[in-house]
Amino acid sequence: MLEPIVVTTGIYDAIKDHLRRKRTTIQEEVLLLDQLKNAKQVLRRELPEDIVTVNRIVKIKEHNDNSETEYIFVPSTKAKPKKNKYSILSEMALATVGYKVGDVIEYPFPTGVRKIEILSVENFEA
């Protein structure tokens, strides 16, 4: 079992609202609610730099096919997938938010369970 996720109160509230609006699958909802129940909430300035959150560049390794992809997680209003900027409420962001570099996560994406690993997390200045 992984350690509890670490999120800011703003991210916590955004995920809760996203779940209330039924924007996820049942499996995602169950997992996310469980993560939020045990989550450690911190102030933005107290959030460690290796934690996945908004305005971070995150490199992910897909264990299913050994591929690596870089994502930039931004506020929903600034999402531009063609420019590799994804909403913090996108599927990959929800799967990884609150986790840190080195964590390996199994997440129930709508296309099936995928095993992913967080390789790096860097600040992104918009």
Side-chain angles (χ1 to χ4, degrees):
M1 179 73 192
L2 291 167
E3 295 175 27
I5 62 171
V6 180
V7 293
T8 62
T9 302
I11 296 295
Y12 179 94
D13 291 343
I15 295 171
K16 281 289 247 200
D17 186 57
H18 191 70
L19 291 171
R20 266 194 291 279
R21 295 171 191 253
K22 300 292 182 196
R23 303 262 170 102
T24 58
T25 66
I26 296 296
Q27 293 90 343
E28 286 176 293
E29 182 178 354
V30 168
L31 179 65
L32 290 167
L33 284 172
D34 186 53
Q35 288 176 339
L36 290 177
K37 184 173 63 178
N38 298 306
K40 178 180 176 188
Q41 290 186 54
V42 299
L43 298 173
R44 178 95 180 143
R45 67 179 176 269
E46 295 171 355
L47 192 69
E49 288 193 11
D50 66 342
I51 297 284
V52 176
T53 191
V54 71
N55 291 325
R56 299 269 165 100
I57 302 168
V58 182
K59 187 183 271 186
I60 307 278
K61 177 179 181 179
E62 293 265 0
H63 282 248
N64 302 18
D65 64 6
N66 244 2
S67 64
E68 292 181 10
T69 309
E70 197 169 84
Y71 298 87
I72 302 170
F73 296 137
V74 296
S76 297
T77 56
K78 304 222 169 147
K80 290 187 173 85
K82 287 184 177 167
K83 293 190 174 185
N84 203 32
K85 294 179 183 175
Y86 295 89
S87 165
I88 193 64
L89 297 174
S90 66
E91 290 173 358
M92 187 57 75
L94 287 173
T96 57
V97 72
Y99 287 105
K100 65 184 180 312
V101 172
D103 284 345
V104 177
I105 305 144
E106 289 194 25
Y107 191 82
F109 289 90
T111 56
V113 174
R114 288 160 48 193
K115 188 175 181 180
I116 53 179
E117 180 178 352
I118 300 169
L119 297 178
S120 67
V121 176
E122 299 172 31
N123 282 329
F124 173 72
E125 301 302 323

